[in-house]
Amino acid sequence: MTPSPEYGIILDAGSSRTTAFVYQWPAEKKHNTGLVTEKYHCRIEGPGIATYKENPKQAAIAILDCLNRTLKIIPKERYSTTQVCLAATAGMRLLELQDKPAAQRILSEIEALFKTLPFNFGRVHILTGREEAIYAWISANYLKGNLVKRNNKQYRHPFIVRTSGALDLGGASTQIAFTPRRILNKLATPAKVMLYGHKYVIYTQSFECYGKDEAERRYLVNIYQASESKWPYQSPCWPSGYNETVSMKDLFGSLCTASKKPANYKPDDEITFTGTGNPAKCQELVYLLFDFKACAGKHYCSFSGIYQPTVRGKFMAFSAFYYTKRALKLPTSFTLTTFTETLWSFCTKSWAELKVMLPKDKDRYRKGYCFSGNYMRTLLISGYKFKPASWKRISFNKKVDGNEVNWSLGYMLNVTNQIPREIKGKENMIKLAILSKVLIVFSSLLMFSIFIIYQMIKHP
């Protein structure tokens, strides 16, 4: 009799939004790791939980609707064994550095809510950047079939293991993870992961303040500080015909820009930026967001003096990488030349043209695709050192076989490593009984053989 599947709930609390995922896997695991699939997901209305620092109770209230929906997805008899966890990423990492008590109050409110649910309380915590990168790598390789493959309803480890790298671009941070040919820097401690009975050694790196949203905030701050005229401030990465007014708090309220706060700072003062649609100037300003000088003279270095081995093999890019390529109407994989030409053309479009091209996109996303495209290009080429040949080996994905590509799937796979397997069914009990009988017979024969040999020695 096959046991019913197990379930788990993961809330991905990102910097710009939170998503609840329900995963399921057979109770009988393979090498102590569950074979996980996505059953359901729910986008939580509103911004990321870090924005509720003034009203932490609202962070818990915001996620309640999606949690109630999961009650209808998971069978009642599985409530008590279903772990519910929330893991927050860079938005909360930054808030914790800026105001640790505020971050803790938000987590405490959510934890209190979880403990009122009929599920098995797991964890409410903040992931490190390294953990986020590792889980993203696990997700990408699991979905690619690099960790375990299905063949004739049987799961087995691939005969030849070729893993894929993972590229994740969030709102407040960006991550890269891959298995290098070798790690040359003694100070670069690789991550070691055990999945499906096999060990993997991974290079990982996470960059705080280098997510798409925080990078664009730093870009606007640089324009504000460099402009001689006070009104309006020109944004070459935004389309011509687009204007946006932001408060000083919007610009300088983040830990990523707080150090550049002007002496006459007043949080409610407003600044207007107007788009000029200048792709050459956009590229120039985006390049300045990175500290490439810190890597001068170093062979294995991305930016900010951070060691990185040479990228190798295939890569899967997701999150904002995917949404940017989708806006540019590009396929899953494409050449660097195609991307560069398409991006340049896109960045010359007016606001009116973009509204026709992308009618379903919200204004705050539509106006930023030129910036994110140039940011993505600079990060991948000048930062991670992708060449035209290695660029072609990147696939830009949102889903694989119905499963969303993000770190939460890797997190769930890791959780299943820690959840005890359900008691085996009758079939496995029969196998155990047979094995026991074989061992008894073998032991008896061994003892008999020893007795015969002893008698032969004693009475030659």
Side-chain angles (χ1 to χ4, degrees):
M1 182 177 177
T2 304
S4 59
E6 297 280 1
Y7 296 86
I9 304 169
I10 304 295
L11 274 76
D12 170 359
S15 61
S16 58
R17 68 182 180 189
T18 301
T19 306
F21 292 93
V22 176
Y23 293 106
Q24 72 173 36
W25 62 93
E28 185 59 36
K29 302 180 192 176
K30 181 174 180 63
H31 298 299
N32 290 324
T33 307
L35 297 159
V36 179
T37 56
E38 182 185 320
K39 178 75 173 177
Y40 173 76
H41 74 264
C42 177
R43 306 284 187 206
I44 290 160
E45 291 295 324
I49 62 173
T51 61
Y52 296 111
K53 61 181 180 181
E54 305 295 338
N55 185 10
K57 287 186 181 295
Q58 190 59 40
I61 293 170
I63 66 176
L64 186 57
D65 179 59
C66 275
L67 286 172
N68 285 334
R69 295 186 192 188
T70 65
L71 293 168
K72 300 175 182 178
I73 302 299
I74 298 168
K76 287 185 178 180
E77 62 271 17
R78 282 299 186 190
Y79 284 178
S80 62
T81 60
T82 297
Q83 276 200 26
V84 57
C85 305
L86 178 141
T89 55
M92 285 293 284
R93 288 197 292 269
L94 293 173
L95 178 60
E96 187 176 41
L97 291 171
Q98 192 175 34
D99 189 345
K100 189 170 184 177
Q104 190 54 53
R105 285 192 293 269
I106 291 171
L107 297 180
S108 296
E109 290 291 342
I110 294 171
E111 182 174 325
L113 170 64
F114 279 8
K115 289 180 177 178
T116 67
L117 300 172
F119 301 123
N120 177 18
F121 172 68
R123 294 184 71 188
V124 174
H125 66 125
I126 300 172
L127 291 180
T128 65
R130 180 183 175 88
E131 288 172 329
E132 188 177 356
I134 291 169
Y135 294 142
W137 181 90
I138 293 172
S139 295
N141 283 280
Y142 177 78
L143 292 174
K144 282 275 191 179
N146 297 333
L147 305 179
V148 62
K149 283 185 176 293
R150 181 168 181 167
N151 185 19
N152 295 326
K153 296 184 179 181
Q154 295 291 321
Y155 288 92
R156 62 191 66 214
H157 189 264
F159 181 71
I160 299 175
V161 179
R162 289 192 179 94
T163 61
S164 298
L167 298 166
D168 188 2
L169 180 58
S173 68
T174 188
Q175 284 73 231
I176 181 172
F178 62 98
T179 51
R181 200 173 301 279
R182 56 180 175 168
I183 294 180
L184 302 173
N185 191 324
K186 294 180 180 179
L187 298 177
T189 306
K192 296 178 181 179
V193 179
M194 179 68 75
L195 285 166
Y196 304 105
H198 291 262
K199 183 188 288 185
Y200 302 89
V201 178
I202 315 163
Y203 167 83
T204 65
Q205 187 61 51
S206 177
F207 295 92
E208 307 297 338
C209 297
Y210 282 88
K212 179 183 69 66
D213 297 338
E214 291 297 341
E216 190 167 16
R217 191 192 315 275
R218 293 190 290 119
Y219 153 82
L220 293 175
V221 165
N222 289 348
I223 292 173
Y224 169 75
Q225 293 187 325
S227 298
E228 294 180 4
S229 62
K230 294 295 181 183
W231 198 277
Y233 296 91
Q234 295 187 343
S235 171
C237 295
W238 289 358
S240 58
Y242 179 81
N243 298 286
E244 185 175 338
T245 299
V246 300
S247 70
M248 292 287 276
K249 184 179 180 180
D250 291 333
L251 288 185
F252 298 102
S254 166
L255 187 64
C256 300
T257 54
S259 63
K260 295 187 175 183
K261 194 179 294 182
N264 61 343
Y265 171 75
K266 293 180 182 179
D268 294 329
D269 281 358
E270 293 185 332
I271 307 161
T272 296
F273 292 90
T274 185
T276 60
N278 185 336
K281 186 65 176 177
C282 177
Q283 285 182 9
E284 179 186 326
L285 294 185
V286 167
Y287 189 86
L288 296 176
L289 297 174
F290 296 86
D291 182 7
F292 293 122
K293 291 181 180 179
C295 287
K298 298 179 181 179
H299 292 294
Y300 300 97
C301 189
S302 52
F303 55 93
S304 300
I306 300 298
Y307 167 78
Q308 181 196 292
T310 304
V311 294
R312 63 187 287 259
K314 295 180 179 180
F315 277 78
M316 185 185 290
F318 42 95
S319 301
F321 286 121
Y322 166 80
Y323 290 110
T324 301
K325 83 91 190 173
R326 185 197 65 174
L328 298 178
K329 303 187 184 302
L330 291 167
T332 302
S333 296
F334 42 87
T335 65
L336 176 56
T337 300
T338 298
F339 178 73
T340 302
E341 292 174 350
T342 304
L343 178 62
W344 187 278
S345 174
F346 184 92
C347 289
T348 61
K349 304 294 184 188
S350 68
W351 180 238
E353 290 175 305
L354 288 185
K355 290 171 77 173
V356 174
M357 287 176 60
L358 304 167
K360 295 182 179 179
D361 289 53
K362 295 179 179 179
D363 286 356
R364 65 192 180 99
Y365 298 128
R366 191 189 290 126
K367 59 91 175 173
Y369 287 130
C370 173
F371 171 83
S372 58
N374 278 284
Y375 185 73
M376 165 177 150
R377 186 179 185 278
T378 305
L379 174 63
L380 295 180
I381 297 173
S382 302
Y384 297 154
K385 308 299 186 293
F386 279 89
K387 307 297 183 187
S390 52
W391 179 286
K392 290 191 294 185
R393 307 193 75 186
I394 304 173
S395 65
F396 294 79
N397 300 84
K398 181 184 180 184
K399 288 187 175 184
V400 175
D401 295 332
N403 295 277
E404 286 223 8
V405 186
N406 51 44
W407 62 261
S408 62
L409 174 58
Y411 184 99
M412 191 74 257
L413 285 162
N414 183 61
V415 168
T416 66
N417 258 334
Q418 301 169 25
I419 298 174
R421 286 186 293 178
E422 184 166 284
I423 297 173
K424 295 184 178 183
K426 293 180 180 179
E427 181 183 349
N428 288 332
M429 292 176 65
I430 291 170
K431 289 179 181 178
L432 184 60
I434 292 171
L435 178 61
S436 299
K437 290 178 181 178
V438 170
L439 289 173
I440 291 169
V441 172
F442 178 81
S443 299
S444 300
L445 289 172
L446 181 62
M447 293 298 294
F448 180 76
S449 299
I450 292 171
F451 174 78
I452 294 297
I453 293 169
Y454 173 79
Q455 291 296 323
M456 290 175 67
I457 294 172
K458 187 176 180 181
H459 306 287

